Amino acid sequence: MAPDPTNLVETRQKAAEWIGSRERGSTGLLRLMAFLSLRLGRTLSRTALYGIAVYFFLFAPRARRQSRRFLRRALGRAPRARDRFRHVLNFATTIHDRVYLINEQYDAFRITIEGESLMRAQVALGHGAFLIGAHMGSFEVIGSIGRRQPGIQVSMAMYEDNARKINSILAAINPKAKPDIISLGHIDAMLRLAERLDRGAFVGILGDRTLGEEPVHEVTILGERAYLPTGPMRAAAILRRSVIFMAGLYRGGNHYHVVFEPVADFSAVAPKSRDAAVGAAVERYAALLDQYCRSDPYNWFNFFDFWRATTPKPTP
C-alpha cells in the first residue's frame, strides 16, 4: 500500500535537541585513551570503561532519563538499574573499540555478517549504492569489513559539523586515517555523491536524526510516533540508486554482528512516483530500526528525546 502523503511533513521548529547536546570529551582525552588502550590491550584497558560508565550513569541525568524511556519501550517493561547501566556500558564499549578498529587491529574481534550475499550481489553489479545506518551499534566495525575487501570503496555523507567532529576523532586516534567524507549542505554535494556512486563506491549515511528544519516523514517506532528525515531517501531516488540498511551490533565480549538488509531500489522509479517511493522506503527503514531496537536494545545510542512531540506542517 502506498504511504499516506499527509505523513510527509515539514517542520519549522528550532534546531533538533541532539545538535545542542555536545558529546563530552576532548581530543586530548581521546589521544590519551588511544595511547593507553593500544599499549595495555583491549582486555586490560576495558577495566577503565566501568568507571567511565558509572560516572555517566550517575552524572548525566538527561541521558539517563532518555535511556530509561527508550528501554521501557524496547524491553516492554520497566528497565532495572542493571539494564540502564548496560546501555551506557555498551555505548562506552563501542567508543573504546574504535581505537582498535581504526588502527586496523581486527584480530581483537569476532565479527559475524548477515546479508553478505546481498552486498556481494551489489558489488557484482558494478555501480554504487547507499548504505543507510543509524546511531546504533558501531559504524567502525562496518567500515572495517570494507577496508579488508579489495576493490570496495566506502564514502560517508554527513553535515559539516559532524564531518569536523569525525575528522578530529580520527586524528586523535590514528592520524594516518583519512576517511572519504562528503559534506552535505553544499551546492556540489549531489555532484560529489553521484561521482562516488558512478565509480562503484558505497555511500554511507545515517538516517535517524533530523536537523529540525527539513522535510520529515511520520513513522511508528516501538509503538510511538517519530519523525525521520526524508533527505537520504530522496537523494537515493534522484540518483536512482539502491538503499541498503546497515548496523554493526555489539553483542558482548569481543563479538560484533553486522547486518545488511535491503530497503529500496530506486533504479526504475518514475519521477511522478518518487514521493510515494520515498515514503515507503522511510517506513521500511523505520521497521528495521524497530526490529533491531527490540532484538538488540542496548545498541541504541540516541540519548535524547527521539520521540519528542512536534507540531508538523503538512507539505503542500
Side-chain angles (χ1 to χ4, degrees), residues 40-103:
L40 296 176
R42 184 175 183 270
T43 300
L44 187 57
S45 60
R46 268 181 61 80
T47 58
L49 291 186
Y50 288 87
I52 295 170
V54 167
Y55 173 83
F56 282 99
F57 184 77
L58 295 176
F59 300 109
R62 183 165 60 177
R64 186 172 63 244
R65 182 169 59 252
Q66 300 306 333
S67 171
R68 182 186 294 112
R69 291 178 65 185
F70 163 75
L71 289 173
R72 183 179 293 113
R73 292 182 174 101
L75 298 174
R77 59 172 172 79
R80 295 182 285 270
R82 67 182 182 184
D83 295 313
R84 293 182 281 115
F85 181 74
R86 180 179 173 185
H87 194 193
V88 175
L89 183 61
N90 269 26
F91 182 47
T93 296
T94 60
I95 294 174
H96 178 238
D97 286 344
R98 285 178 181 174
V99 173
Y100 304 101
L101 292 164
I102 291 171
N103 282 281

Side-chain angles (χ1 to χ4, degrees), residues 135-247:
H135 291 80
M136 171 182 283
S138 168
F139 175 75
E140 283 78 12
V141 77
I142 300 171
S144 74
I145 296 172
R147 288 192 293 273
R148 286 182 287 173
Q149 300 295 323
I152 292 183
Q153 306 169 62
V154 180
S155 303
M156 278 298 295
M158 61 185 68
Y159 285 97
E160 194 163 1
D161 284 349
N162 283 346
R164 281 197 294 266
K165 183 190 300 183
I166 291 295
N167 280 325
S168 67
I169 289 172
L170 293 175
I173 294 176
N174 182 356
K176 295 180 181 179
K178 301 294 182 183
D180 182 25
I181 296 178
I182 301 168
S183 293
L184 300 176
H186 294 278
I187 194 167
D188 65 338
M190 286 295 284
L191 292 175
R192 296 179 66 197
L193 286 171
E195 185 272 329
R196 300 302 195 285
L197 293 162
D198 285 344
R199 70 183 196 214
F202 289 98
V203 174
I205 192 167
L206 303 181
D208 58 331
R209 291 184 183 179
T210 171
L211 295 176
E213 295 185 355
E214 63 187 303
V216 295
H217 187 76
E218 182 181 320
V219 297
T220 299
I221 301 176
L222 299 179
E224 298 287 342
R225 182 176 59 187
Y227 296 96
L228 295 176
T230 59
M233 298 300 181
R234 193 165 296 280
I238 291 170
L239 295 172
R240 304 173 74 87
R241 303 289 174 163
S242 295
V243 181
I244 298 170
F245 176 83
M246 62 177 178

Side-chain angles (χ1 to χ4, degrees), residues 262-279:
V263 175
D265 181 358
F266 292 106
S267 61
V269 174
K272 65 181 180 180
S273 303
R274 188 175 291 158
D275 285 348
V278 166

Side-chain angles (χ1 to χ4, degrees), residues 6 13 24 74 107 124 213 216 246 257 270-271 297:
T6 61
Q13 58 191 18
R24 303 184 186 188
D107 291 343
E213 295 185 355
V216 295
M246 62 177 178
H257 183 65

